[in-house]
Amino acid sequence: AMLRSVENRRRPRLNAWLWFVRLTLYPVVNRLFKLRFHGAEQIPASGGAIVAINHVSYADFGTSVNYLYGSAARVPRFMVKSGIFKVFLLGHILRTCGQIPVDRGAATAADSLRAAVAAAEAGEMVVIYPEGTVTRDPEWWPMVGKTGVARLALAANVPVIPLAVWGPQFAVDKYNKKYDLFPRKTVTYQAGPPVDLSAYRGKPVTTE
C-alpha cells in the first residue's frame, strides 16, 4: 500500500531550468548507476520537510536528485556551499532551481539558515548535509555533524527525515583521486521515519 501511494504521487511542476535538469542530469544518472531506492514513503508527499543525508561522494548530489524527485516525487532545495554559485552558468542554474547558498562566514551564516527555515515553512523540501562536506573518513562513515542541521531542525517546525546513501563513492572518490564509473556501481538509498524532536522543541537553542 505504501509503495502504491508513492507511485501515485503527482509530480511537482517544474520551471524551465528544472526541466533542463530533468532532461539532462536525470537520465544520465540513471544510465551511470544501478539505483536502488527504499523508504520514499517516509518523505511527506507535500508540505515542508527537512531531509538530512550523509555525503559520501560529489556524485551523490545527482543520485539524490533522482531519489527525491524520481522516487519521492519532490523537488529538492539543497543547501549548497556558496562558492559553487560563483561557477559560470552553474551558479545561475542553481539559483533558478531554488537551491540555497550556504556561507560559513559568521555574518552571513544566519542568512543561509533563515532562507532554509523560510523555505521549509513555506512548504518546500530542504536537503542538508549535516557534515557540510564530503566525508573524509577512510571507510566513508559520517563525520561529526555541524550545528547548522540541528539549528535548522529546531527552527523549522516541519518533519526531519534521515536519508542514507551508499555506493557513489566507489565511482567518484575525489579525495583519493579514484574515478571508476564502469562497470556501473550500485547506489542504494534508504529513508527512515521522521526524527522525534519533541524533547528539544521550545527550549533555548544552545551549542550543546
Side-chain angles (χ1 to χ4, degrees):
M2 285 186 178
L3 289 176
R4 286 197 297 272
S5 69
V6 172
E7 291 172 356
N8 292 334
R9 291 183 180 184
R10 293 187 62 182
R11 297 286 173 196
R13 298 180 69 177
L14 306 177
N15 64 29
W17 277 110
L18 285 170
W19 265 114
F20 173 78
V21 173
R22 169 69 178 84
L23 296 173
T24 54
L25 176 65
Y26 192 87
V28 168
V29 170
N30 277 331
R31 292 279 186 178
L32 288 178
F33 300 97
K34 298 177 183 178
L35 302 173
R36 303 290 183 264
F37 294 157
H38 308 286
E41 69 278 0
Q42 302 288 354
I43 298 175
S46 60
I50 297 167
V51 174
I53 179 173
N54 63 309
H55 205 0
V56 293
S57 166
Y58 284 101
D60 64 33
F61 175 80
T63 55
S64 295
V65 169
N66 282 42
Y67 176 82
L68 295 168
Y69 180 78
S71 191
R74 295 295 302 268
V75 173
R77 293 192 64 181
F78 285 85
M79 299 189 71
V80 183
K81 290 180 181 179
S82 60
I84 299 178
F85 285 78
K86 299 176 183 178
V87 178
F88 177 72
L89 186 59
L90 179 59
H92 176 72
I93 294 174
L94 289 173
R95 288 188 185 88
T96 309
C97 291
Q99 309 313 299
I100 302 170
V102 177
D103 194 329
R104 293 179 181 172
T108 52
D111 293 336
S112 302
L113 180 61
R114 279 193 290 268
V117 171
E121 293 185 339
E124 303 281 352
M125 185 183 68
V126 176
V127 183
I128 185 171
Y129 296 110
E131 303 155 272
T133 189
V134 174
T135 180
R136 298 295 185 96
D137 185 273
E139 299 297 325
W140 296 291
W141 282 92
M143 300 183 294
V144 175
K146 308 294 184 183
T147 59
V149 64
R151 292 180 184 277
L152 174 60
L154 294 174
N157 190 24
V158 299
V160 180
I161 313 299
L163 178 59
V165 58
W166 189 257
Q169 71 272 26
F170 300 119
V172 178
D173 182 5
K174 182 178 179 180
Y175 289 146
N176 293 309
K177 298 182 179 180
K178 294 180 180 179
Y179 303 93
D180 185 16
L181 292 174
F182 302 101
R184 294 164 67 205
K185 305 301 184 291
T186 298
V187 174
T188 303
Y189 279 80
Q190 177 69 61
V195 178
D196 183 6
L197 297 172
S198 58
Y200 307 100
R201 292 200 185 278
K203 295 183 178 180
V205 179
T206 65
T207 302
E208 288 73 20

